Amino acid sequence: MKIKSLEELQKIKEKALKEISGRETKKRGRIVVGMGTCGISAGAKDTLRALADELEKQSIDDIAVIQSGCMGLCEVEPTVEVQIGSEEPAIYGHVNEEQARRIVREHVMKGKILSDILVKRGKV
Amino acid sequence: MRTIADHVLDIAQNSVNAQATHVKIKFVEDREKIVIKIRDNGCGMDEEKLSKIFDPFFTTHKEVRRVGLGLPFLKQNAELTGGYVHVSSTPKIGTILEATLFKTIDCQPIGDLAGAFATLVTSSTDVIWEIERCLEKRCYEFSSKALDGVDLSSPKVIKMIFEYFKSMELSL
Ligand SMILES: Nc1ncnc2c1ncn2[C@@H]1O[C@H](COP(=O)(O)OP(=O)(O)OP(=O)(O)O)[C@@H](O)[C@H]1O
Ligand code: FES
Ligand SMILES: [Mg+2]
């Protein structure tokens, strides 16, 4: 028995194209979640979900959420890189769901660097 | 403890890293077993490489022995249940992985399969994902083609896709 899954996808597409791509999407910044083996093991998919959820809750749609492979930072996974505008990227470590929401509320919304979970500034 | 969903996410990432543009995942479960098939059109492997993929020392990651993911661990877990993992591959054509795990007490929990699928299908716009998931006789399917033109880096879209898979899992 097949559940009507593709129809549900069609609805997502219509919604997405209407609400989002309808207007010019000039992105203000991006958040990169490390999804290598270590990241996955440390729960990076929950971090990804929490980031998307909090951004949506705060009605932020000019930040791209991207996944990357191994960042070589196994000890501090899950890792998240935040880059807003032309500022230097900030790499955060041990980003669980709670920290992910903090990143959205503090860094993305107020431009505040969270020094307690900061791993480094600049490119990985 | 690692879950089967973690394995699916990790193993399917290998297809992406192998430059696949098309990945098909079949996850079929009944009362006694779980059968996973992942087929990609990535770079594939020659005989020599193929013979090493279950060797825990072959991986490029130093830490995987601690985190318990990767092909050697999937194989070990499957065999512990009386099942198996089989990989066949052709250079420049692609790779097919088939795993069977029996639901014995040694079988790892399935875990957050919905989250693993949602993560995979939003991981890259360059890959077409096709997923078929069945529990007994009930199935749902996903195809990236149905989301053609949708911005997969949009938080709203990512959230919708997580919710899509969650509701599909609940409907099984
Ligand atoms: N689907 C696939 N297609 C081609 N090669 C693969 C595939 N799966 C695994 N491999 C090869 O087997 C190696 C070991 O895989 P494993 O997942 O254990 O380690 P890995 O370090 O995560 O690899 P990578 O991150 O580079 O994909 C990989 O580096 C790759 O060369
Ligand atoms: S994911 Fe752990 S070292 Fe790359
Ligand atoms: Mg891998």
Side-chain angles (χ1 to χ4, degrees):
Chain A
M1 193 177 104
K2 203 148 258 175
I3 288 152
K4 301 199 177 316
S5 38
L6 292 179
E7 285 162 33
E8 287 301 312
L9 284 179
Q10 192 58 35
K11 281 187 213 153
I12 294 182
K13 178 173 175 171
E14 279 163 22
K15 228 171 160 179
L17 293 181
K18 195 169 74 207
E19 285 182 27
I20 299 150
S21 315
R23 109 185 70 103
E24 206 57 54
T25 43
K26 186 85 188 77
K27 299 274 200 270
R28 176 167 70 94
R30 54 178 219 159
I31 299 182
V32 186
V33 185
M35 205 59 73
T37 298
C38 298
I40 291 168
S41 166
K45 76 167 158 19
D46 300 322
T47 305
L48 172 72
R49 185 198 348 244
L51 284 167
D53 186 63
E54 192 64 30
L55 286 163
E56 202 264 349
K57 227 189 241 168
Q58 306 291 347
S59 306
I60 299 168
D61 59 2
D62 57 355
I63 300 286
V65 179
I66 298 163
Q67 298 176 41
S68 78
C70 165
M71 297 207 217
L73 296 168
C74 223
E75 290 82 62
V76 292
E77 296 286 352
T79 51
V80 165
E81 180 193 301
V82 181
Q83 180 166 25
I84 310 291
S86 56
E87 79 181 22
E88 233 192 338
I91 293 141
Y92 293 114
H94 299 300
V95 183
N96 57 17
E97 294 183 44
E98 198 189 320
Q99 301 299 348
R101 293 182 192 279
R102 246 184 98 211
I103 287 173
V104 172
R105 290 194 294 252
E106 303 288 319
H107 189 156
V108 176
M109 296 177 73
K110 298 184 194 147
K112 218 168 98 187
I113 301 291
L114 304 171
S115 50
D116 57 324
I117 53 168
L118 186 71
V119 176
K120 57 177 157 178
R121 293 302 299 268
K123 296 252 169 284
V124 182
Chain B
M1 179 148 80
R2 303 279 67 93
T3 63
I4 293 173
D6 289 332
H7 278 294
V8 170
L9 179 47
D10 184 54
I11 303 291
Q13 284 304 4
N14 285 342
S15 300
V16 178
N17 294 336
Q19 272 85 52
T21 55
H22 201 145
V23 185
K24 263 186 169 164
I25 302 177
K26 227 173 143 168
F27 193 105
V28 178
E29 183 188 352
D30 62 27
R31 223 164 301 163
E32 61 180 22
K33 65 181 183 305
I34 295 161
V35 179
I36 305 165
K37 282 186 197 174
I38 302 179
R39 172 197 286 261
D40 72 54
N41 67 344
C43 63
M45 289 170 272
D46 58 23
E47 289 289 328
E48 207 216 319
K49 197 165 203 178
L50 198 56
S51 70
K52 291 184 190 154
I53 55 169
F54 294 121
D55 175 349
F57 298 99
F58 176 60
T59 173
T60 53
H61 296 286
K62 339 177 247 317
E63 310 268 0
V64 289
R65 293 200 298 141
R66 191 168 55 84
V67 304
L69 289 177
L71 287 166
F73 280 94
L74 179 64
K75 182 179 155 83
Q76 189 187 311
N77 291 323
E79 287 175 353
L80 216 55
T81 71
Y84 63 90
V85 180
H86 183 248
V87 179
S88 58
S89 190
T90 315
K92 300 201 186 86
I93 302 284
T95 301
I96 302 171
L97 173 137
E98 279 191 59
T100 296
L101 295 98
F102 289 93
K103 289 180 168 172
T104 61
I105 47 161
D106 293 315
C107 192
Q108 292 173 301
I110 290 182
D112 177 21
L113 201 54
F117 289 154
T119 301
L120 285 170
V121 306
T122 56
S123 66
S124 157
T125 40
D126 305 330
V127 183
I128 294 171
W129 295 93
E130 283 184 84
I131 295 172
E132 190 183 339
R133 154 76 161 137
C134 297
L135 177 61
E136 307 277 348
K137 288 193 171 65
R138 295 170 69 82
C139 301
Y140 70 81
E141 56 186 0
F142 173 92
S143 169
S144 298
K145 288 177 193 156
L147 295 179
D148 189 33
V150 172
D151 175 10
L152 295 174
S153 72
S154 151
K156 247 192 189 127
V157 170
I158 296 173
K159 192 178 173 190
M160 281 194 276
I161 292 176
F162 267 95
E163 280 166 2
Y164 163 83
F165 280 107
K166 195 174 162 195
S167 75
M168 287 298 134
E169 281 298 315
L170 286 173
S171 71
L172 287 179

